[in-house]
Amino acid sequence: MFGLIGHLTSLEHAQSVAKELGYPEYSDQGLDFWCSAPPQIVDNIKVTSATGQIIEGLYVESCFLPEMLAARRIKAATRKITNAMAHAQKHGIDITALGGFSSIIFENFNLDQIRQVRNLTLDFKRFTTGNTHTAYIICRQVEMAARQLGLNLSDATVAVCGATGDIGSAVCRWLTHRVDVKDLLLIARNRERLQALREELGRGRITALEDALPAADIVVWVASMPKGVEIDPDTLKHPCLLIDGGYPKNMGSKVQHPGVHVLSGGIVEHALDIEWKIMNIVNMDVPARQLFACFAESMLLEFERLYTNFSWGRNQISLEKMDLIGQVSQKHGFKPLLLES
Ligand code: NDP
């Protein structure tokens, strides 16, 4: 059985969907209450592969909210993640994806040091960040959506915001070794990590976000921002492709401009309907078929009986692993989400 650990994008979002999730009493509660709420299994899932194989899974709502980081409620945030992991393991789930901020909190606060959750010893082999599949899907979205817009990658400037992150660094590796892009702009806050990435890649220009945006034909957003930034579409190139892979979104509001094409990044579409309700709650456009690529990774590992933490640690995603997860993704009927034609 596979599992997904997820969370909602804001306190307002959490309050508005509490009833649908099965706990209406949470709907008028503030951050303090959510800080002490336990994890809950809120969905039973059945997925049929394009090969006909059927698997079952559970969705664990961790009750973490990005506002906990902004309000420096770090203990509450970390407890949410370890408790949700223990909950998944206690329910016998073989492989669980740590969605959205779950894996970021796990890494940033060294939760690998906390193996014991009450009477349960966490077995990290049962968890995956899902980032290899997410990075693979975002790279395919760059290639395929550029083609949709008639953008030639070998003439294009691609900016990666969050370049030094787990997903961002894998995307940069792919853009360096697998495709020919004219210019690669690297954006993040920590200069040392940016320089280390540039050295590893042997290319890329470290650029401030405000300088990168007007220069880029394609922007890949994979920064771990609890709240999105506002973009003025008039300052961008036209056409410009914005692939927003953040959860919550890295872009603060919907960009409305005929020359700016926004694509939800790290989202896959399955060939067949999935039996679940959770993607309605996170407002997917086609909730029966569309999902986060990290969640799809735990499904793929279950289909392949690969019970291992396929994606783990930071900045260790290899091109070979991206190829492997990409191959099984196609085999089981997942496709990268593309621009509407
Ligand atoms: P990491 O924590 O590994 O990396 C985050 C990156 O963002 C770092 O390069 C960090 O560098 C940079 N960053 C953070 N804040 C800012 C800022 N204000 N301005 C510029 N850069 C910033 O995160 P992941 O790679 O694991 O995840 C990235 C995003 O992808 C997250 O939003 C996550 O929720 C989402 N995600 C989506 C999935 C999907 O299935 N679609 C799956 C998994 C994750 P620095 O700190 O130096 O600025």
Side-chain angles (χ1 to χ4, degrees), residues 131 162 164-167 189-190 222-224 245-247 266 292-294 314:
N131 286 350
T164 53
D166 198 34
I167 299 170
R189 293 163 304 177
N190 183 300
V222 278
S224 50
Y247 184 82
F292 300 103
C294 62
R314 272 297 179 260

Side-chain angles (χ1 to χ4, degrees), residues 69 98-109 223-224 247 314:
L69 295 180
L98 301 177
F101 265 79
S102 316
S103 68
I104 296 170
I105 292 169
F106 187 92
E107 286 300 328
N108 289 358
F109 300 105
S224 50
Y247 184 82
R314 272 297 179 260

Side-chain angles (χ1 to χ4, degrees), residues 14-30:
Q15 289 168 331
S16 70
V17 298
K19 199 167 155 210
E20 280 172 83
L21 284 172
Y23 31 81
E25 66 279 14
Y26 289 18
S27 61
D28 54 358
Q29 298 287 349

Side-chain angles (χ1 to χ4, degrees), residues 7 98-105 107-108 129-131 133-135 138 161-169 187-191 193-194 209 221-227 229 244-250 265-267 291-296 314-315:
H7 63 82
L98 301 177
F101 265 79
S102 316
S103 68
I104 296 170
I105 292 169
E107 286 300 328
N108 289 358
T129 64
N131 286 350
H133 191 225
T134 304
I138 291 175
C161 181
T164 53
D166 198 34
I167 299 170
S169 60
I187 306 151
R189 293 163 304 177
N190 183 300
R191 188 104 197 155
R193 282 202 291 264
L194 280 165
L209 181 63
W221 296 90
V222 278
S224 50
M225 296 175 180
K227 212 167 171 282
V229 291
D244 191 350
Y247 184 82
K249 295 274 170 231
N250 283 182
I267 305 291
L291 62 150
F292 300 103
C294 62
F295 287 171
R314 272 297 179 260
N315 298 23

Side-chain angles (χ1 to χ4, degrees), residues 35-255:
C35 282
S36 56
Q40 313 219 23
I41 289 176
V42 296
D43 210 1
N44 292 286
I45 309 166
K46 199 190 258 187
V47 193
T48 305
S49 159
T51 65
Q53 189 186 345
I54 295 174
I55 54 168
E56 292 193 12
L58 297 173
Y59 182 89
V60 182
E61 170 55 50
S62 69
C63 291
F64 162 79
L65 295 172
E67 282 92 341
M68 291 174 193
L69 295 180
R72 306 221 139 268
R73 308 288 291 266
I74 306 301
K75 260 216 172 110
T78 55
R79 223 177 28 233
K80 296 280 150 201
I81 307 310
T82 49
N83 283 347
M85 291 170 79
H87 204 60
Q89 190 172 318
K90 217 165 56 191
H91 283 79
I93 302 176
D94 300 294
I95 185 74
T96 300
L98 301 177
F101 265 79
S102 316
S103 68
I104 296 170
I105 292 169
F106 187 92
E107 286 300 328
N108 289 358
F109 300 105
N110 302 317
L111 299 191
D112 56 340
Q113 310 289 316
I114 305 175
R115 282 207 100 116
Q116 202 63 28
V117 181
R118 290 175 294 278
N119 59 352
L120 186 135
T121 308
L122 286 174
D123 174 7
F124 295 145
K125 285 259 174 315
R126 290 170 179 252
F127 299 91
T128 184
T129 64
N131 286 350
T132 311
H133 191 225
T134 304
Y136 167 81
I137 291 297
I138 291 175
C139 292
R140 297 295 294 139
Q141 288 180 304
V142 170
E143 293 174 24
M144 295 161 88
R147 212 170 302 139
Q148 283 183 296
L149 293 177
L151 285 169
N152 192 349
L153 285 180
S154 53
D155 299 325
T157 295
V158 183
V160 181
C161 181
T164 53
D166 198 34
I167 299 170
S169 60
V171 169
C172 289
R173 260 170 233 130
W174 185 282
L175 294 178
T176 299
H177 300 291
R178 285 293 161 86
V179 286
D180 171 31
V181 298
K182 188 174 133 218
D183 209 358
L184 180 62
L185 309 183
L186 311 174
I187 306 151
R189 293 163 304 177
N190 183 300
R191 188 104 197 155
E192 273 172 32
R193 282 202 291 264
L194 280 165
Q195 266 153 357
L197 176 69
R198 219 203 81 77
E199 260 169 49
E200 181 210 311
L201 298 172
R203 72 166 304 184
R205 278 197 290 138
I206 298 169
T207 313
L209 181 63
E210 57 275 22
D211 298 329
L213 290 179
D217 299 287
I218 301 172
V219 186
V220 177
W221 296 90
V222 278
S224 50
M225 296 175 180
K227 212 167 171 282
V229 291
E230 298 298 327
I231 307 287
D232 175 0
D234 290 328
T235 61
L236 303 174
K237 273 189 168 178
H238 303 133
C240 180
L241 171 62
L242 301 177
I243 301 182
D244 191 350
Y247 184 82
K249 295 274 170 231
N250 283 182
M251 283 158 48
S253 52
K254 284 211 162 99
V255 175

